[in-house]
Amino acid sequence: MTALILTALGTALVNNVVLSQFLGLCPFLGVSKKTNTAAGMGAAVIFVIMISSTVTYGIYYKILVPLDLEYLQTIVFILVIAALVQLVEMILKKYIPPLYKALGVYLPLITTNCAVLGVAISNIDNGYNFATSLASAFGTAFGFLIAIVILAGIREKSEGNDIPKPFRGTPMTLIASGLMAIAFTGFTGLI
């Protein structure tokens, strides 16, 4: 149990998917304008990463390996992720329309979010068992949620500040992201 917790903490804080691996930057930068929208995106990413990791693990070890089709891993994983994102999109559209509208184009972009595919592939490449794969998937997704909500909070707080014109908008967002990445390196000695 301790190993699973350490795996989740390590992937969430030390090897944060956005701040140290630089995966999933498009939704990270695009949806981080409001904290409630960022939290919704983070929750959607947690759902997609957890389900996709579960499904891709089973497909890889129960279908691709026995049939000696491991070379199809990336294509199969992309198809699974695309189907899951469509499921999330339909659920949000039906049950939480305001979040669906707030996420806009970034919801379908979860399909191409390299963080989702990166988790599925790295779990296989690292030789994780099923439980460790789920711990890694949850930690990675939770780390994405932490990072996007923190950045959204920073962006909301800095809206009313007197920022020099050349630094407004995207430059300030990138500076804040860089400072967050530096701050997260402080977790390196943790695990």
Side-chain angles (χ1 to χ4, degrees):
M1 187 62 158
T2 304
L4 296 177
I5 292 170
L6 289 175
T7 299
L9 279 175
T11 54
L13 300 176
V14 178
N15 296 317
N16 187 285
V17 70
V18 177
L19 301 174
S20 69
Q21 297 178 24
F22 307 112
L23 297 175
L25 290 175
C26 182
F28 174 70
L29 296 173
V31 184
S32 60
K33 292 179 181 149
K34 303 275 183 216
T35 52
N36 58 351
T37 308
M41 174 59 92
V45 168
I46 286 175
F47 178 78
V48 170
I49 285 181
M50 291 299 293
I51 300 299
S52 69
S53 291
T54 303
V55 173
T56 55
Y57 184 91
I59 288 173
Y60 185 80
Y61 285 108
K62 299 294 183 189
I63 298 173
L64 296 180
V65 170
L67 296 175
D68 199 29
L69 297 172
E70 294 95 341
Y71 60 89
L72 293 176
Q73 169 187 357
T74 304
I75 295 169
V76 171
F77 288 6
I78 289 172
L79 292 173
V80 167
I81 291 165
L84 290 170
V85 169
Q86 289 301 312
L87 176 68
V88 169
E89 193 171 0
M90 289 187 301
I91 290 170
L92 288 179
K93 189 174 186 179
K94 182 167 177 98
Y95 296 108
I96 314 173
L99 180 59
Y100 174 78
K101 287 183 181 179
L103 292 175
V105 71
Y106 293 101
L107 185 59
L109 281 177
I110 295 175
T111 303
T112 58
N113 185 343
C114 52
V116 179
L117 180 61
V119 171
I121 291 175
S122 71
N123 286 342
I124 299 298
D125 288 347
N126 291 331
Y128 290 158
N129 61 28
F130 184 69
T132 308
S133 289
L134 288 182
S136 171
F138 179 75
T140 301
F142 191 68
F144 180 86
L145 173 72
I146 290 169
I148 197 169
V149 169
I150 290 173
L151 182 62
I154 292 169
R155 289 178 78 174
E156 281 183 353
K157 287 283 189 186
S158 67
E159 265 182 24
N161 294 345
D162 186 26
I163 298 171
K165 196 170 187 174
F167 291 105
R168 290 183 193 156
T170 303
M172 194 58 167
T173 302
L174 294 175
I175 290 169
S177 300
L179 292 173
M180 285 174 55
I182 292 169
F184 268 65
T185 61
F187 293 118
T188 303
L190 182 68
I191 297 174

